[in-house]
Amino acid sequence: MAYPKIVPHWIGGKKCFGKGPAYFEKFAPATGEKIADVLSGDMLEADIATSAARAAYAAWDRLGVFARAKILRNAAKLIESKKSQIADVLVLETGRPRENVLGEIGAVVECGYFFAGEGARYFGNTLPSANPDRLTYYIRESAGLALLITPFN
């Protein structure tokens, strides 16, 4: 897997290159060699990403638990099938030993399978009610959108 010379953001399933020279240089920690220019983000990208996530959430929520579980399983399978290429990128980006990053990728795959299974366990519970003619229950539902912005390296 060739490392890209310019690393954009991915927003709404599309490459987003920003508007201006807001890039930083990415160096391989093991060699000090420059490997890419990476797009810096600001509030504009965060707002665009949040809007895209809101739009995607409505469709995701309508899919239902089994369709979402299948997507998560397929994502885990895809990561598993490309673990060698992903490991190449992680070794280059972090300078960590290959065995170490392969273990991390394996953990990611296991989490994907775990959350696919958990997501399909769509259930609620009945609760006691003070009124004997009333059924009280709750259902686990998605709380909605959450935004996490995290730096990598």
Side-chain angles (χ1 to χ4, degrees):
M1 175 183 290
Y3 201 90
K5 294 298 178 195
I6 297 177
V7 179
H9 294 156
W10 283 90
I11 299 175
K14 298 175 187 161
K15 289 181 182 180
C16 174
F17 288 97
K19 298 187 191 295
Y23 288 84
F24 63 90
E25 294 178 323
K26 171 92 174 124
F27 297 93
T31 65
E33 174 189 354
K34 179 181 172 184
I35 55 175
D37 289 311
V38 179
L39 180 63
S40 294
D42 60 17
M43 287 304 297
L44 175 62
E45 279 90 4
D47 288 343
I48 292 168
T50 301
S51 294
R54 272 197 190 96
Y57 174 77
W60 176 257
D61 193 44
R62 284 191 305 272
L63 281 177
V65 295
F66 296 112
R68 292 193 301 257
K70 183 176 181 182
I71 290 169
L72 290 175
R73 269 193 313 279
N74 287 341
K77 287 178 187 176
L78 182 62
I79 293 167
E80 191 170 35
S81 74
K82 299 202 177 283
K83 67 182 170 190
S84 181
Q85 295 104 313
I86 295 169
D88 291 343
V89 169
L90 286 173
V91 168
L92 179 65
E93 285 191 338
T94 66
R96 292 168 41 208
R98 186 173 184 79
E99 182 178 312
N100 181 274
V101 298
L102 283 169
E104 182 179 341
I105 294 164
V108 167
V109 169
E110 290 304 316
C111 282
Y113 288 132
F114 174 81
F115 285 112
E118 284 300 298
R121 292 186 229 313
Y122 186 70
F123 61 89
N125 285 314
T126 56
L127 304 169
S129 173
N131 182 337
D133 297 323
R134 181 176 295 147
L135 174 65
T136 306
Y137 65 95
Y138 70 87
I139 299 173
R140 293 173 49 187
E141 293 183 318
S142 170
L145 178 66
L147 177 64
L148 171 67
I149 300 173
T150 179
F152 288 88
N153 290 358

